[in-house]
Amino acid sequence: MTNQVKKNSNDRYNDTFPTILRELMEKTGITQKDLAEVIDVRPQTLSLYRNGQSQPLPDKLVLIARHFGVSVDYLLTGISSDNMDVSKELGLSETSIEMLKRSNSTENFDGMPTVSDYINNLLSDGEFYQFIEDLIFKVNGVQCATNMTPEVKQKLPQFNYEGYYIWELQMFIQEFIKNQLVKNGLEIEKE
C-alpha cells in the first residue's frame, strides 16, 4: 500500500507553475484571451493553467516560455537554469538572485559605494545574521501578542502587549540601522 496524497485542484492554485504564470501575465499586462491566442489554446484552457487545474503540454510550455522570455525551467521550478547552482547552494529564490544581479549593475555616484558594496558588507558581517535571527524572534513575539486570547490579556488589563512588542521591534530595528550607519562612518547625534 502506498501513501499518496492527492491534491485537489484548489490545492494547486499556489503551485509554482500557476503562480509564475499569473505573475508574468500581471507583470507584462497580457490578458488571458491574448495569451491564449499566442499559444493557440482556448481562453478557458489558459484559465485552467492559471488556476492550477491543468498543466500545459510541453509544446505549450515552450510557447509560454518564449512569449515571456523565460526558460521552461523557470516556469516549472521558479528558478532559471542560469541560476540553478546558486539557488541550490545558497537557497535563494530566482527573484533574490536577479535582484542581487541588478544591484551589481547599478551605477554609483563618484566615490560613493554601490548597492552591491552595502549588500556585500551586510552579508560579510556576523552581526547581520544575529540581527536577522533576533528579528525573526521579535516578529514572532508581535504575532503572539496580536493573537493573545482575551483571558491572557485580562491578567494585566492595563498592559498593551501588542503595543509593547511593536515598540520593542521598532527600537531593535532602529538600533541596528544606527549601528550600521556608524560602522559606515556616519555618526548619529545622541538625543
Side-chain angles (χ1 to χ4, degrees), residues 74-99:
Y74 178 71
L75 287 175
L76 296 176
T77 66
I79 301 166
S80 70
S81 54
D82 293 343
N83 294 329
M84 194 66 73
D85 292 338
V86 175
S87 176
K88 271 186 193 167
E89 187 172 341
L90 301 178
L92 296 174
S93 69
E94 179 78 10
T95 303
S96 298
I97 294 167
E98 290 305 318
M99 292 300 286

Side-chain angles (χ1 to χ4, degrees), residues 112-125:
M112 294 194 59
T114 63
V115 172
S116 286
D117 293 332
Y118 281 110
I119 291 171
N120 190 45
N121 287 340
L122 274 175
L123 296 178
S124 302
D125 186 350

